[in-house]
Amino acid sequence: MTAAWPMPGSKGRIWIDYQNDVTAKDVELAARENFVSVEHLKRYTTLGMATDQGKTSNLPGLALMAAITGRTVPEVGTTTYRPPFTPVPMASFTGARVGELLAPVRRLPLENVHRASGAVFQEYGGWLRPAHYGGSANADSAMQDEARRARQSVALFDGSTLGKIEVIGPKAAEFVDFIYYNTMSTLKPGRCRYGFMLSENGVVFDDGVLVRLDEHRFVVSCSSSHVASVHGRMEEWRQDRFGRSAVYIHNATADMATLTVSGPNARKLLETLDLGLSLDDADLPHMAIGDGSYAGDEVRIARVSFTGDRSYEISIRADRAEPLWAHLRQAGQAYDAVIIGLEALMILRAEKGFIVIGKDTDGTTLPHDLGSEAPRAKRQTDYVGRRSLFTEEASRGDRMQLVGLAVPPGEVPLPTGAHGIRRIDGGLRSQGFVTSSYQSPTLGRPVALALIERGGARHGESIEIQHLGKVRTATIAAPCAFDPAGERLHA
């Protein structure tokens, strides 16, 4: 009768564990080396340590060791089978964490108010936000109308999703210097500064406005979709290089609503609120903040702009935002105020050449690709990502750089994602791509942003743009297509 298990001294290569390539000779060698315990055998030969946890190999291996040592299998011993010896259903890992229980949609404090105003909601970066107003039937015309009217008079926009992460402590200035590409410690209290945060590899991770409230207190206003990740990175660097006694970080994004008033009549509308602070340009210039009150509640006014027009961001306790919004809507009727959704805001910012991280950048975009070269050239102090900005890759002369693209009169907007092409040896090679593209109701023509090789030195040059086999021609231009002198910031 043939033995059911491999026998000692068998000739040839007899496989015991098919996953880890353990043979009968390996078990015999283990016995000669005095690894006779099942646990020793397992670790010496890796018998039963593959993904099946010994389901196909343990018993033959233990039987062979028992025969070699003159014992029974129970005397040799057995091991504990662990997952995935018995496969674990994926549903056991997820449990109830599916849908919104896994990734909850974040909601605006004024969501119901916007719905009552006819807002059409979409999800942007985890937030449910108004895309435009007026229903879904004529979405494109609604977005165009909102953007056009915003330039003509005054626009109201709910910007509550903007990050409001407070950095507090005796080393707060040193901390923000370290996490920002730009030097921030020179910022005076009551002033704001735009800047980049970089990853360790030098790639632009986020952008936004930093507010200095006093000597030891800052507010990081980061991108809406990056609040959680920016907060996590800041906390990681705080623990790594600083300490809770030196720097304390508090994410106050959900605590406050931020209502934006933008346009030529923005100041006139704000004056109807009786905020208790001067709105004169000398007292509240562009990139400055002021403290006031509305109906007994403290408010913070930041004069910053993502539209290119005179703009004010009013931050108030989230549960007190509705009366303020209602006042702005009612008083705004005298100025033909328009409430705008995020899609109209995207048109306005693209006209100015203002970027959206992750849309107008990719996983390789460095700050000097976006025209911000000075900190790289002049900063001597250390900051996150600094070493990576001086590598051979970062110093290449053919890097993709941010530009604008203009199309011939009468043509439709370029497709987002279309590639700029170069004809080489009868073939085509990409030299960049369109990142943002819209019809501008103010300029009466399309505007587009793109990342193009050596784009900064090629303004005025014609380039071919290909999308789905169709080739068009565009002219490389400066990113800012509307009000390049910035006069409307002070209009």
Side-chain angles (χ1 to χ4, degrees):
M1 179 180 293
T2 303
W5 312 109
M7 299 302 294
S10 299
K11 303 297 183 181
R13 179 163 292 186
I14 301 175
W15 301 102
I16 302 294
D17 191 321
Y18 292 98
Q19 285 191 279
N20 280 349
D21 293 344
V22 180
T23 67
K25 289 184 178 181
D26 294 325
V27 177
E28 293 174 352
L29 176 62
R32 290 199 300 272
E33 296 287 351
N34 204 35
F35 291 106
V36 294
S37 163
V38 61
E39 295 296 341
H40 292 165
L41 172 65
K42 177 179 178 180
R43 285 157 178 78
Y44 182 73
T45 65
T46 70
L47 176 72
M49 296 180 68
T51 57
D52 71 342
Q53 283 288 296
K55 188 174 183 180
T56 62
S57 61
N58 264 21
L59 287 179
L62 297 177
L64 179 57
M65 178 59 76
I68 294 171
T69 58
R71 295 178 294 171
T72 64
V73 171
E75 290 175 331
V76 173
T78 58
T79 58
T80 301
Y81 297 139
R82 298 180 177 87
F85 166 73
T86 301
V88 180
M90 293 300 294
S92 299
F93 292 110
T94 60
R97 290 174 59 82
V98 296
E100 286 202 30
L101 294 177
L102 175 64
V105 175
R106 305 189 69 181
R107 299 179 181 273
L108 296 170
L110 298 182
E111 178 181 334
N112 291 336
V113 176
H114 294 306
R115 290 191 182 278
S117 300
V120 176
F121 282 80
Q122 293 183 19
E123 186 178 342
Y124 299 91
W127 285 91
L128 197 63
R129 308 176 66 180
H132 60 88
Y133 294 81
S136 302
N138 300 301
D140 289 339
S141 60
M143 299 168 192
Q144 290 285 305
D145 184 63
E146 289 173 15
R148 176 184 55 80
R149 292 175 60 190
R151 293 286 189 212
Q152 293 175 345
S153 180
V154 59
L156 305 178
F157 175 76
D158 190 340
S160 301
T161 61
L162 286 172
K164 294 171 277 286
I165 305 175
E166 297 193 8
V167 181
I168 308 166
K171 291 190 176 182
E174 181 182 343
F175 179 79
V176 295
D177 265 356
F178 180 71
I179 65 171
Y180 273 95
Y181 170 63
N182 318 67
T183 299
M184 295 299 191
S185 58
T186 56
L187 190 61
K188 296 180 179 180
R191 293 294 187 265
C192 315
R193 183 171 294 164
Y194 174 81
F196 291 138
M197 289 185 188
L198 310 182
S199 299
E200 289 84 346
N201 58 4
V203 170
V204 177
F205 179 78
D206 192 57
D207 70 338
V209 171
L210 180 71
V211 178
R212 187 167 199 170
L213 300 180
D214 57 42
E215 183 180 1
H216 301 305
R217 186 181 178 194
F218 296 81
V219 177
V220 175
S221 181
C222 55
S223 302
S224 301
S225 60
H226 290 164
V227 174
S229 54
V230 167
H231 182 210
R233 289 167 58 86
M234 290 171 60
E235 182 61 32
E236 181 178 359
W237 283 116
R238 182 200 66 76
Q239 295 180 26
D240 182 68
R241 294 178 63 95
F242 296 84
R244 196 173 293 275
S245 60
V247 178
Y248 179 76
I249 298 171
H250 171 59
N251 185 2
T253 303
D255 300 344
M256 304 182 74
T258 299
L259 309 180
T260 301
V261 182
S262 176
N265 289 319
R267 176 177 168 180
K268 294 178 182 178
L269 178 54
L270 232 64
E271 288 173 341
T272 68
L273 296 178
D274 189 22
L275 296 173
L277 79 162
S278 173
L279 298 177
D280 290 342
D281 288 355
D283 299 320
L284 189 66
H286 180 59
M287 299 301 281
I289 64 166
D291 293 318
S293 63
Y294 175 78
D297 293 312
E298 295 181 358
V299 295
R300 185 165 64 227
I301 313 297
R303 190 174 162 193
V304 297
S305 177
F306 196 46
T307 65
D309 283 314
R310 175 187 289 267
S311 299
Y312 300 88
E313 293 180 354
I314 313 169
S315 294
I316 189 170
R317 267 179 48 178
D319 60 342
R320 305 295 178 88
E322 188 169 343
L324 175 57
W325 182 257
H327 187 142
L328 290 170
R329 289 290 311 278
Q330 182 177 11
Q333 294 177 7
Y335 304 101
D336 190 29
V338 58
I339 49 175
I340 67 172
L342 191 60
E343 295 300 324
L345 182 66
M346 290 296 101
I347 296 173
L348 299 173
R349 66 90 193 171
E351 292 174 342
K352 285 294 296 179
F354 294 157
I355 63 171
V356 173
I357 301 298
K359 181 174 178 63
D360 301 301
T361 65
D362 63 13
T364 65
T365 304
L366 305 179
H368 49 280
D369 299 332
L370 302 173
S372 182
E373 173 69 30
R376 176 175 179 256
K378 297 179 180 180
R379 274 197 69 174
Q380 300 299 315
T381 56
D382 200 16
Y383 53 88
V384 177
R386 180 173 183 264
R387 289 185 298 175
S388 299
L389 299 183
F390 299 93
T391 62
E392 182 179 350
E393 173 67 20
S395 304
R396 278 185 16 239
D398 61 345
R399 292 190 60 82
M400 293 195 299
Q401 299 172 329
L402 182 72
V403 297
L405 293 177
V407 299
E411 291 198 3
V412 298
L414 295 167
T416 301
H419 280 260
I421 58 173
R422 185 188 302 278
R423 299 181 184 275
I424 299 178
D425 299 329
L428 302 178
R429 184 180 73 83
S430 173
Q431 53 178 323
F433 57 95
V434 179
T435 60
S436 295
S437 183
Y438 305 93
Q439 178 68 28
S440 167
T442 304
L443 299 174
R445 62 176 176 83
V447 295
L449 300 176
L451 291 171
I452 300 294
E453 290 179 356
R454 300 183 296 102
R458 298 170 63 185
H459 290 186
E461 181 181 318
S462 180
I463 185 174
E464 289 186 307
I465 306 293
Q466 176 179 275
H467 181 68
L468 298 179
K470 184 178 179 179
V471 178
R472 298 172 57 184
T473 301
T475 302
I476 300 176
C480 181
F482 176 77
D483 186 34
E487 296 175 352
R488 290 178 63 105
L489 287 171
H490 311 286

